[in-house]
Amino acid sequence: MRLLFLGDVVGRSGREAITRNLPEWRKKLALDLVVVNGENASHGYGLSPDIARSLISAGVDVITLGNHAWDRRDMIGHINQMPNIVRPINYPAGTPGQGSYIIDLERGRRALVINVMGRIFMDPLDDPFRVVSELLSRHRLGMTVNAIIIDIHAEATSEKMGFGQYFDGRVSLVVGTHTHVPTADHRILPKGTAYQTDAGMCGDYDSVIGMGKEAALHKLVRKIPGERPQPAEGEATVCGLLVETNDATGLATKVAPLRMGGHLAPNWPDF
Amino acid sequence: MRLLFLGDVVGRSGREAITRNLPEWRKKLALDLVVVNGENASHGYGLSPDIARSLISAGVDVITLGNHAWDRRDMIGHINQMPNIVRPINYPAGTPGQGSYIIDLERGRRALVINVMGRIFMDPLDDPFRVVSELLSRHRLGMTVNAIIIDIHAEATSEKMGFGQYFDGRVSLVVGTHTHVPTADHRILPKGTAYQTDAGMCGDYDSVIGMGKEAALHKLVRKIPGERPQPAEGEATVCGLLVETNDATGLATKVAPLRMGGHLAPNWPDF
Amino acid sequence: MRLLFLGDVVGRSGREAITRNLPEWRKKLALDLVVVNGENASHGYGLSPDIARSLISAGVDVITLGNHAWDRRDMIGHINQMPNIVRPINYPAGTPGQGSYIIDLERGRRALVINVMGRIFMDPLDDPFRVVSELLSRHRLGMTVNAIIIDIHAEATSEKMGFGQYFDGRVSLVVGTHTHVPTADHRILPKGTAYQTDAGMCGDYDSVIGMGKEAALHKLVRKIPGERPQPAEGEATVCGLLVETNDATGLATKVAPLRMGGHLAPNWPDF
Amino acid sequence: MRLLFLGDVVGRSGREAITRNLPEWRKKLALDLVVVNGENASHGYGLSPDIARSLISAGVDVITLGNHAWDRRDMIGHINQMPNIVRPINYPAGTPGQGSYIIDLERGRRALVINVMGRIFMDPLDDPFRVVSELLSRHRLGMTVNAIIIDIHAEATSEKMGFGQYFDGRVSLVVGTHTHVPTADHRILPKGTAYQTDAGMCGDYDSVIGMGKEAALHKLVRKIPGERPQPAEGEATVCGLLVETNDATGLATKVAPLRMGGHLAPNWPDF
Ligand SMILES: [Fe+2]
Ligand SMILES: [Fe+2]
Ligand SMILES: [Fe+2]
Ligand SMILES: [Fe+2]
Ligand SMILES: [Fe+2]
Ligand SMILES: [Fe+2]
Ligand SMILES: [Fe+2]
Ligand SMILES: [Fe+2]
């Protein structure tokens, strides 16, 4: 299976880079599955149902979220009708939506996508290790599903790398989101799980993590409230990674970053 | 000027990768200046005077530190005798050591190296924006010094990217350390400052940010104290970036990541 | 000098308890000076110029603030015209308003009121110990001013108690605010400074730190956004402390909590 | 039922104040049950089995813990043999010890004691609201047990007051620990649960939350490591609260602070 994961889409610039490129890339990269983190797609704060639909129309199969999941309040009412929008699984019982989704792919294959939030330096949700372990106790990679993708939305690299190591061999991919900066540590862990600490954002990098420089610096330097930061509007870099997995074992065989457009050094996967 | 910056050296594995390779790389890359973050060089916790000397013998010119600066208590007494060991500049007045160092290079050139700590999700030191601005008010890039390198040791990507944007055009390089994961966002900012959110560690990546997986996972998952985490002992990846600057303007002309050895995808600069 | 300090006024309930009682209490307690923390006076979020004026009309001499200082944006424009509204002194240089105020009292006496913010578990401002030390280097208790009152707006008890001990003997009173719960540790420290870790809020305690229970619990338990918490509207308890100082030395001679009205056990000072 | 709850015992000074006074107080106050938080009893860091035994000999029935539960590593091995030492209930499954204890009292009465940790500004354990709700779903106040006491060991007053309000009517007492400062907000909540945000420590208040001033201030002001803070050795104030409950309903009928000895204003319950 060939799957593309793209990190936090920030505002119009990030959305348009995806809707403009993805239809072509799906073919060119022979993608079976596209997962995108959409927590900042609506003007930097949350995901509206309409924007979710436009991403899906462009070829996104599953959208994951994070700490900004509910910035757009209408998502609270809509998420139950949109099962391929996945919010962090470790919210308390009773939270609208689901924390995982099984998607049926071509040739009878199935993939399980999980979104989970870290707790270090973040709002304390349920234990991500425990909650994901419980879900995985009901799944067997290569048996009940052909691939398992985990988006761990977290701040601390220790928590993300620990998460990757902990689930190594039990899932196809552990990829981080939330920091809005792509890491260069993509690799396949010893037991076969593809890993990258952060996918990076799909947004304008001539910014402060996607937001306009002036307003973001006002907040960092002046410490008094100013204009609400808005997404920077320059050309986005689409950031993510391409993973190839073995459908029988569910483990990763290849992983490479994808970075195209905007201000970062481009990288097109060589497989 | 051609300068190499290497991220947090973690334990024996990280140190040996540097002492083994640096003498050759200095020549091969025609380096004028080598700066290394050494806050985890002594068994993962701090920097001992002896280990500092061994790094310097191998060709390191300046060693920066971070929140682990004082884990080795003997550094408190020794740092004043070792001016090319630079601790975060924003410690309170009266802290041993200095937060910056001017090194004289070949052909009469000089470089100013600054170490500063972020405050978001970290122990609150003095305002890094203010303290570095004050120091820079006494320096003019291309006039008093030919290059200015800032190692911002920080957790939050917003603070690091904001720092880079804030000092863009006033320094040669803003590079982050502390997260122990290299980022793939190296670039030259609009006004000429080279930037990368994190240099990545020089250590074994088959680990949890450089420390043995078992002990690190015990802490993350069990929440009760276990064995003190020790550095992983597998082959290190040396992580950093090569920057070429214009000696007249002090601004960056080229930047590329360097990643060699161990478990990450290698990258040798192409200039 | 007899001074009354009252903690964070929360919403209408808190304001009305003060405007209703203070005129009488000023006489009854023979008060020379009344200082109130007003950071939550405007519907729980910030302080509007009008509400500031109404508190002043009721007999408040100086109003201190905290992390909610700028929730009411109009305060940014008005604070420079209202010198007896004091914001935390350790905001960066250039912040509107002042962090201290000297008030002229009857019989030629003067009192210096300082507001400062802690940094542990809070937004990192400048070092409170350093900034207050610098200001105090220009004042001599009993000489340039007859009393010095410090409102340390902070979360951690260690930082507040440490602050009290550090300035013991150099000021008349160190009193904490921000937690919205009165502490029972009022006393005179060994060198003569009156101290209480938190003055407690002036607000309805049948609440969650002054805000309506339902909305506050939604946030704590559900972790998804709900109604914005609004101040609880039951009867407020006015919380603070009465301090008597020696005008010649500036040190404290007596301290007692004042707690009146609402849901807490009442305490009227016995001096 | 008449129960005494005492807050964090800090070091020798705190221990001795309890062992010296408790035997007499048990009689004088006709106590049915004494619960003490012991997380700092061993030189400020943790609880040793021997010190636990000495507290129990002096008349303590149940000892609760907190974030310092495991500072004394030997407690990890001993806690399963000492069921009346209760660690926070929201540690992950598999943690040694138990988070609650049912004690049999005179005349066939039983009391359930629960220790739970908050998560705001603390290490993220399992959701305290959920975990305690689950336990309470198996108990009925006045039916299965005659009293339920919850020690919520937490930093943020919002979390503690929210916890009290959430369980109001379902338990006899919600009392906070951890900040080492007694609060003056003891009361009976609308549905019958006694509440106080923090019991305060049993230790020397001429200190920084129980630790020697010099070492504690070094850490706060200097930001570089110094001597490890040790408990202050002056006379302790024993801090806690006396609660009277109705054995049939399990709800509180009276609550009053107890503060005796040392540097705080004394308060002896009037019932
Ligand atoms: Fe994001
Ligand atoms: Fe996020
Ligand atoms: Fe480090
Ligand atoms: Fe660090
Ligand atoms: Fe407040
Ligand atoms: Fe506040
Ligand atoms: Fe404690
Ligand atoms: Fe504690």
Side-chain angles (χ1 to χ4, degrees), chain D residues 150-182:
Chain D
I150 301 180
D151 167 3
I152 176 161
H153 194 80
E155 178 74 36
T157 49
S158 58
E159 194 172 22
K160 287 155 123 169
M161 208 186 289
F163 208 82
Q165 300 286 14
Y166 190 77
F167 290 105
D168 181 21
R170 287 190 273 171
V171 304
S172 313
L173 169 66
V174 170
V175 59
T177 54
H178 177 66
T179 70
H180 290 204
V181 175

Side-chain angles (χ1 to χ4, degrees), chain D residues 56-219:
Chain D
I56 290 165
S57 297
V60 173
D61 296 301
V62 182
I63 303 176
T64 53
L65 293 166
N67 55 312
H68 287 285
W70 318 109
D71 286 3
R72 283 291 308 242
R73 299 292 178 90
D74 42 357
M75 188 45 69
I76 297 176
H78 279 78
I79 195 167
N80 280 326
Q81 279 74 54
M82 304 182 83
N84 58 341
I85 301 180
V86 180
R87 49 87 178 154
I89 193 171
N90 49 342
Y91 271 100
T95 301
Q98 299 294 327
S100 65
Y101 178 65
I102 294 178
I103 184 165
D104 288 303
L105 303 172
E106 285 184 11
R107 287 182 277 137
R109 293 169 301 168
R110 306 166 83 216
L112 168 62
V113 178
I114 303 169
N115 185 208
V116 66
M117 213 140 93
R119 299 193 293 183
I120 299 181
F121 310 132
M122 302 191 84
D123 196 25
L125 299 187
D126 288 347
D127 181 351
F129 292 89
R130 175 178 61 77
V131 173
V132 171
S133 292
E134 280 168 14
L135 176 64
L136 292 183
S137 71
R138 304 196 298 274
H139 284 285
R140 198 62 170 284
L141 200 54
M143 310 285 276
T144 59
V145 290
N146 301 89
I148 301 176
I149 293 98
I150 301 180
D151 167 3
I152 176 161
H153 194 80
E155 178 74 36
T157 49
S158 58
E159 194 172 22
K160 287 155 123 169
M161 208 186 289
F163 208 82
Q165 300 286 14
Y166 190 77
F167 290 105
D168 181 21
R170 287 190 273 171
V171 304
S172 313
L173 169 66
V174 170
V175 59
T177 54
H178 177 66
T179 70
H180 290 204
V181 175
T183 58
D185 63 339
H186 55 280
R187 67 200 131 130
I188 296 175
L189 298 175
K191 296 178 190 156
T193 296
Y195 175 78
Q196 185 171 312
T197 297
D198 206 290
M201 70 168 168
C202 297
D204 176 8
Y205 280 79
D206 185 22
S207 67
V208 176
I209 61 167
M211 307 309 267
K213 286 186 266 191
E214 199 176 338
L217 284 171
H218 183 100
K219 205 171 151 187

